[in-house]
């Protein structure tokens, strides 16, 4: 599933093509994704984009009267192509620009979303979200306070959008490894100094993954069709049964909160 670095990579890939580009046509080839694509999206025809930003794992594509809100779901990808290029299977949504380019949203599993948000009516899915992990707002003081009443596993806690957005399964495992914290550690029992290490590890892992264009394990590709290269730098994720790069102990796998988690029992406590 595309996580924050993959969504940020997608945003950066789209931005130079769609900013100030006039929309010539909006084509809905398959209306029902995770939710039905609303007809109001056609109202961007004839307009120029005012910009695009990321909030959590959502992309908000702004116009003067509202925003197209997009989510990649489990297998979604967006790419910029010539509008004359034949559609691929699972190309469900398309915006054609006056310059002959087109943005196409491809989603084989159809868990992604293309929604419309007016300026005065924000979507409920964007409310009550925690801070962005790469901002100053996300620090040890904040995390310590947020986890003070959470008695579940630390890995589940940092993957909760109300605590901090965008720390998905891959990057949670990697950050906990760098911080030396076992993923099953009880969230409100982790000391503040250790949480400070975790905050820095989360920022480090996410920043590096964005620099490498995200992580391609199966479905994700960048807007130019290339894979993300961070998979080549994973320390624990997907490496169960292999030697730890630090201590040569065997990497373990454990299901926590219905998600596979990977860790080194020697390096992480």
């Amino acid at each position: 599933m595309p996580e924050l670095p993959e969504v940020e990579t997608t945003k950066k890939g789209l931005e130079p093509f769609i900013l100030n580009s006039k929309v010539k046509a909006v084509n809905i080839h398959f209306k029902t994704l995770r939710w039905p694509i609303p007809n109001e999206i056609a109202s961007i025809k004839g307009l120029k984009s005012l910009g695009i930003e990321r909030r959590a794992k959502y992309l908000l594509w702004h116009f003067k009267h509202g925003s197209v809100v997009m989510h990649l779901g489990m297998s979604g990808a967006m790419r910029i192509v010539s509008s004359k290029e034949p559609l691929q299977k699972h190309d469900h949504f398309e915006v054609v620009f006056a310059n002959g380019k087109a943005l196409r949203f491809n989603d084989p599993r159809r868990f992604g979303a293309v929604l419309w948000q007016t300026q005065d009516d924000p979507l409920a899915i964007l409310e009550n979200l925690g801070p962005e992990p790469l901002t100053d707002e996300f620090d040890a003081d904040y995390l310590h306070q947020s986890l003070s009443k959470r008695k579940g596993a630390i890995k589940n806690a940092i993957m909760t959008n109300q605590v901090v957005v965008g720390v998905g399964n891959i990057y949670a495992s990697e950050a906990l490894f760098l911080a030396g914290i076992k993923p099953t550690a009880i969230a409100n029992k982790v000391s503040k100094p250790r949480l400070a290490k975790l905050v820095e590890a989360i920022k480090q892992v996410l920043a590096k993954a964005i620099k490498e264009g995200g992580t391609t394990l199966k479905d994700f590709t960048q807007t130019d069709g290339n894979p993300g290269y961070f998979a080549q730098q994973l320390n624990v994720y997907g490496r169960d049964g292999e030697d730890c790069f630090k201590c040569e102990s065997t990497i373990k796998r454990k299901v926590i909160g219905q998600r596979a988690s990977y860790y080194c029992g020697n390096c992480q406590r």
Side-chain angles (χ1 to χ4, degrees):
M1 178 184 294
E3 299 181 6
L4 185 152
E6 290 76 54
V7 180
E8 183 69 19
T9 297
T10 298
K11 188 206 81 170
K12 290 183 176 181
L14 293 176
E15 198 164 31
F17 292 97
I18 67 176
L19 187 60
N20 294 321
S21 294
K22 187 175 182 179
V23 175
K24 180 179 179 181
V26 177
N27 301 319
I28 301 174
H29 302 297
F30 190 91
K31 188 176 181 67
T32 306
L33 300 179
R34 184 175 181 181
W35 300 285
I37 300 175
N39 294 327
E40 290 90 337
I41 284 181
S43 65
I44 67 174
K45 182 178 178 180
L47 302 180
K48 289 184 178 181
S49 167
L50 301 180
I52 185 170
E53 66 174 318
R54 178 192 55 75
R55 179 67 172 116
K57 297 180 186 179
Y58 293 90
L59 291 174
L60 284 72
W61 185 12
H62 300 305
F63 292 85
K64 65 180 183 180
H65 64 308
S67 304
V68 179
V69 180
M70 301 179 287
H71 192 286
L72 297 178
M74 297 181 68
S75 59
M78 297 180 191
R79 50 188 217 286
I80 299 292
V81 298
S82 168
S83 60
K84 296 180 180 180
E85 182 176 309
L87 291 173
Q88 293 184 8
K89 186 178 181 180
H90 307 303
D91 278 347
H92 303 312
F93 175 72
E94 176 185 38
V95 175
V96 179
F97 299 105
N99 62 8
K101 296 288 186 179
L103 182 159
R104 291 178 181 170
F105 179 58
N106 185 284
D107 187 7
R109 300 186 190 182
R110 300 200 299 272
F111 282 113
V114 180
L115 303 171
W116 177 253
Q117 172 181 273
T118 64
Q119 288 182 329
D120 300 323
D121 188 21
L123 293 173
I125 56 176
L126 298 177
E127 297 181 343
N128 301 316
L129 294 175
E132 291 286 335
L134 295 175
T135 64
D136 292 339
E137 184 182 354
F138 180 61
D139 60 15
D141 289 334
Y142 165 81
L143 187 58
H144 186 255
Q145 178 62 35
S146 296
L147 301 185
S148 62
K149 296 182 180 180
R150 291 186 176 268
K151 299 180 180 180
I154 184 69
K155 181 168 179 282
N156 290 345
I158 62 173
M159 290 178 61
T160 302
N161 279 332
Q162 287 72 32
V163 174
V164 58
V165 300
V167 184
N169 197 35
I170 296 172
Y171 304 109
S173 290
E174 291 295 306
L176 287 165
F177 173 77
L178 289 184
I181 300 172
K182 195 173 182 178
T184 54
I186 303 303
N188 66 355
K189 299 296 184 182
V190 181
S191 68
K192 189 173 178 181
R194 299 188 79 202
L195 290 178
K197 291 182 179 179
L198 180 56
V199 166
E200 290 307 308
I202 289 171
K203 292 176 183 287
Q204 178 183 335
V205 167
L206 292 177
K208 194 169 185 179
I210 291 170
K211 183 179 179 181
E212 296 294 334
T215 302
T216 294
L217 297 179
K218 184 177 179 182
D219 297 307
F220 174 72
T221 57
Q222 301 181 56
T223 53
D224 58 4
N226 288 320
Y229 296 103
F230 190 70
Q232 300 170 17
Q233 301 182 40
L234 296 175
N235 287 298
V236 290
Y237 188 88
R239 297 190 60 244
D240 50 309
E242 299 180 27
D243 290 346
C244 173
F245 292 137
K246 283 187 177 181
C247 71
E248 298 185 355
S249 296
T250 302
I251 299 298
K252 299 179 181 181
R253 178 184 184 275
K254 183 179 179 64
V255 176
I256 304 172
Q258 300 182 326
R259 291 182 180 268
S261 302
Y262 302 87
Y263 65 99
C264 173
N266 185 51
C267 293
Q268 295 172 254
R269 302 290 183 182

